[in-house]
Amino acid sequence: MKKLSILLFSAWLVPQLVYANVDNGAFEDWSNGSADSWTTVDSGIAVSESTSVVKSGISSAAINVTTGTQGSTDFRQSIAVTSGQSIEFSTWVYHTEGGMRARLYVDGYRGYSDASVTNQWQQISYNFTPSSSGNIEVGLRFYDVSGFDGSEVVYVDDFEPHDGVGNGGGSGGGSGGGEGCVTTSGSFNLTTDNYASETSWQIENAQSGVEASGSGLSNNTSYSEDLCLDDGDYTFTINDAYGDGICCSYGSGSYELVIDGTSLTSGGNFGSIETFSFSIGSGGGTGGGGTPPDLTGYYANASGLSGYNLKSALYDIIKNHSSQGYSGLWTFYSSYSLDQYYENDGSILDIYAERPTSNDPYTYSAGSDQCGNYSGEGSCYNREHSFPRSWFGGAIEPMNSDVHHIFATDGYVNSKRGSYPYGEVGSASFTSQNGSLLGSARSGLGYSGTVFEPIDEFKGDLARAYFYMATRYENVIAGWDSNSSSVDAVLNGTANQVFESWFVDLMKTWHNQDPVSQLEIDRNDAAHSYQGNRNPFVDHPEFVAEIWGN
């Protein structure tokens, strides 16, 4: 069993109020070196006033935990609650070394802090509705993690229970009672599998503060966490320590994030981690992939440049994106690769199956129809590296998970495409149900081998993905042309032009004939929120001609 240390708080309720009130929860009042209204009852911690690391006001409590033994670090008061009165408890903690994590205690053990987030404030919160009136204990418990050296300072500030209905009080009866959250309400619903101890989750705001989190869960149990979020950008993350998700080998776990009545993301079949970014408020709407940046500012360092100097400036802007891992692509597809543009049926938008002007031959549901094995078209969808991964040497990051060039496609058609170059087919040996072709290159293309030709609707999308790859990986792409005969047919071994002349001409033609669509714009915004960089050729289609000529 892990060693534990515990820090507990409580306070007296002012009887006239309908919500709990922590006395000196902001840790502003101190006498003789002790926080007023707080009593240290054990010897495993030392509490002192801090004026240097403060969340708000002028003071916080600096808690030096000197033991990993449970039950010897209590710091408490007594707090009274009223039956049926919803209270949202929250506190802010600040880790200095990352050797332990804090867990909120509200009449039981609740969410954790993230021990790896050091030298910044993060919030832990929990919404609690007492089943009976009386006193409860509230506070924090600290769990040592790898790296705890027997002494660690954790700062605590703004321990605040407040009225869960968000109306500042009132009886809760009569009209208008129980209006809910004053900003944006939601919930996180989780059903664990047979190994719940492996599962943890959190919602983090743009300042890396933890708005809600959960771990230390029970097997095969359903949880529902109420959320109340201000306008802003957020990232939801769910982790599985073993790396097999929560469905379906060892139980039937699942999760769903609901904001303002809309289900933003759900799932259960993932590896070690899934992430989902969303925004609340007028800046971008829920689930919109975040608010697009000011593109003038984003591309400021490329202003006035042209030719390969422009390309190099763009490389400096978009390099060093944050890889989310190959398994993370499933989550991206479930959130941002849905058909809201053609049939608008919410199915996976498969660029090798989509029929823009008629019904699709088959559809896939996000999450449940992932490959997997396939026996033919319509079996499952997978992750198609439009720039084949054998071309850059295999499952190598960050190329292997870079969502800007990896699209959801039918598994069988993807296998038929293989690592052949994109091109225009003269004589087809295979035709997919949406009209994508595999076969010998047409006469006059400048290449005489086997090529794969997508339908016209997505030719520009793929061309701009290739111009992105030429730019994002300018520092390494010159060395890839010897990895296979197919890539050698496309790359010319340089870091400036990058592609053979026949392929540059083809990509420019596709780029011009199939202009940027709303689908691409939305996907680019989502990719920026997801991994932190953009495709410049979606934002500025004119960059293609400015770099590679007309």
Side-chain angles (χ1 to χ4, degrees):
M1 176 179 288
K2 289 291 291 179
K3 298 182 294 180
L4 306 174
S5 57
I6 184 168
L7 171 65
L8 292 175
F9 303 93
S10 46
W12 293 105
L13 176 75
V14 179
Q16 295 89 338
L17 299 179
V18 298
Y19 54 90
N21 183 36
V22 172
D23 191 11
N24 196 26
F27 300 100
E28 296 296 295
D29 301 320
W30 296 76
S31 301
N32 300 319
S34 299
D36 291 355
S37 303
W38 303 93
T39 302
T40 302
V41 297
D42 289 320
S43 59
I45 59 171
V47 182
S48 60
E49 181 181 9
S50 171
T51 57
S52 58
V53 181
V54 176
K55 178 63 177 66
S56 65
I58 61 173
S59 300
S60 69
I63 315 246
N64 186 15
V65 183
T66 57
T67 179
T69 302
Q70 182 178 354
S72 63
T73 56
D74 294 3
F75 180 59
R76 63 173 77 168
Q77 291 180 5
S78 184
I79 186 168
V81 294
T82 302
S83 176
Q85 176 61 57
S86 181
I87 311 163
E88 185 175 347
F89 290 87
S90 67
T91 191
W92 293 82
V93 297
Y94 185 107
H95 293 295
T96 56
E97 299 177 51
M100 57 172 49
R101 54 181 177 167
R103 188 176 188 183
L104 190 63
Y105 187 93
V106 181
D107 198 34
Y109 301 109
R110 311 302 179 183
Y112 290 93
S113 65
D114 185 345
S116 66
V117 177
T118 59
N119 300 316
Q120 58 183 291
W121 289 101
Q122 58 178 291
Q123 188 179 37
I124 319 173
S125 60
Y126 180 74
N127 190 279
F128 177 71
T129 303
S131 59
S132 60
S133 298
N135 291 345
I136 65 168
E137 288 187 321
V138 295
L140 293 171
R141 166 171 285 184
F142 293 99
Y143 290 70
D144 65 307
V145 298
S146 177
F148 178 58
D149 58 7
S151 178
E152 182 163 337
V153 175
V154 179
Y155 298 93
V156 179
D157 206 353
D158 290 349
F159 194 98
E160 295 181 331
H162 51 82
D163 180 6
V165 301
N167 57 13
S171 65
S175 62
E179 291 179 0
C181 178
V182 295
T183 50
T184 299
S185 62
S187 65
F188 177 70
N189 307 307
L190 173 70
T191 299
T192 58
D193 63 1
N194 299 344
Y195 295 91
S197 62
E198 299 169 357
T199 303
S200 61
W201 65 274
Q202 71 174 26
I203 296 174
E204 187 178 68
N205 60 35
Q207 291 72 44
S208 299
V210 176
E211 298 283 351
S213 61
S215 58
L217 307 169
S218 299
N219 296 342
N220 302 306
T221 302
S222 294
Y223 297 87
S224 183
E225 178 88 1
D226 292 333
L227 305 173
C228 183
L229 302 175
D230 294 329
D231 289 355
D233 297 332
Y234 297 91
T235 300
F236 161 76
T237 305
I238 186 167
N239 297 274
D240 181 79
Y242 192 76
D244 60 355
I246 58 177
C247 175
C248 302
S249 299
Y250 301 100
S252 299
S254 63
Y255 70 83
E256 182 180 34
L257 176 64
V258 178
I259 301 295
D260 200 20
T262 300
S263 178
L264 297 189
T265 185
S266 60
N269 187 7
F270 61 95
S272 298
I273 185 172
E274 283 194 334
T275 61
F276 176 78
S277 298
F278 62 99
S279 298
I280 292 175
S282 59
T286 57
T291 302
D294 177 351
L295 298 186
T296 302
Y298 188 82
Y299 294 111
N301 289 339
S303 179
L305 299 178
S306 62
Y308 298 134
N309 289 332
L310 170 59
K311 180 169 168 287
S312 294
L314 294 175
Y315 162 72
D316 286 334
I317 293 169
I318 66 175
K319 67 181 181 180
N320 298 326
H321 72 265
S322 178
S323 298
Q324 299 300 312
Y326 190 51
S327 64
L329 292 167
W330 295 126
T331 301
F332 183 87
Y333 294 159
S334 294
S335 304
Y336 301 118
S337 292
L338 304 180
D339 188 349
Q340 300 172 342
Y341 306 90
Y342 302 102
E343 287 79 13
N344 194 28
D345 58 4
S347 64
I348 288 291
L349 207 164
D350 174 354
I351 65 172
Y352 292 168
E354 177 61 45
R355 291 174 173 168
T357 60
S358 63
N359 291 334
D360 295 339
Y362 44 82
T363 59
Y364 293 128
S365 298
S368 60
D369 291 330
Q370 298 167 358
C371 287
N373 297 319
Y374 46 81
S375 57
E377 278 194 73
S379 296
C380 56
Y381 73 95
N382 66 3
R383 298 158 289 189
E384 160 72 310
H385 293 80
S386 64
F387 194 104
R389 67 179 177 182
S390 63
W391 289 11
F392 50 76
I396 301 171
E397 295 295 347
M399 296 81 73
N400 191 50
S401 65
D402 190 334
V403 75
H404 281 294
H405 82 108
I406 307 176
F407 297 85
T409 68
D410 177 82
Y412 180 76
V413 181
N414 184 10
S415 72
K416 298 295 287 185
R417 186 263 166 134
S419 298
Y420 293 117
Y422 287 125
E424 294 177 351
V425 172
S427 176
S429 59
F430 168 79
T431 303
S432 77
Q433 293 185 44
N434 86 327
S436 298
L437 304 173
L438 178 73
S440 301
R442 66 167 174 81
S443 176
L445 182 63
Y447 175 69
S448 59
T450 301
V451 296
F452 185 89
E453 182 177 357
I455 64 172
D456 292 346
E457 183 75 8
F458 301 112
K459 285 179 176 177
D461 307 52
L462 294 169
R464 286 177 283 276
Y466 268 69
F467 289 128
Y468 166 86
M469 292 295 287
T471 304
R472 168 61 183 86
Y473 300 104
E474 178 180 277
N475 60 323
V476 291
I477 200 168
W480 294 349
D481 69 328
S482 61
N483 286 340
S484 71
S485 58
S486 292
V487 69
D488 184 51
V490 170
L491 302 184
N492 73 347
T494 71
N496 45 33
Q497 180 172 304
V498 176
F499 303 120
E500 297 285 357
S501 295
W502 76 269
F503 197 79
V504 172
D505 291 342
L506 178 68
M507 292 296 100
K508 288 192 294 184
T509 297
W510 286 8
H511 167 69
N512 291 327
Q513 291 179 347
D514 175 29
V516 173
S517 65
Q518 189 62 48
L519 163 62
E520 283 185 90
I521 294 170
D522 293 344
R523 194 178 194 274
N524 197 27
D525 290 342
H528 180 258
S529 176
Y530 174 73
Q531 66 180 40
N533 71 341
R534 303 181 67 81
N535 184 337
F537 306 100
V538 174
D539 292 327
H540 289 279
E542 71 276 11
F543 283 170
V544 171
E546 291 176 9
I547 295 172
W548 284 278
N550 292 315

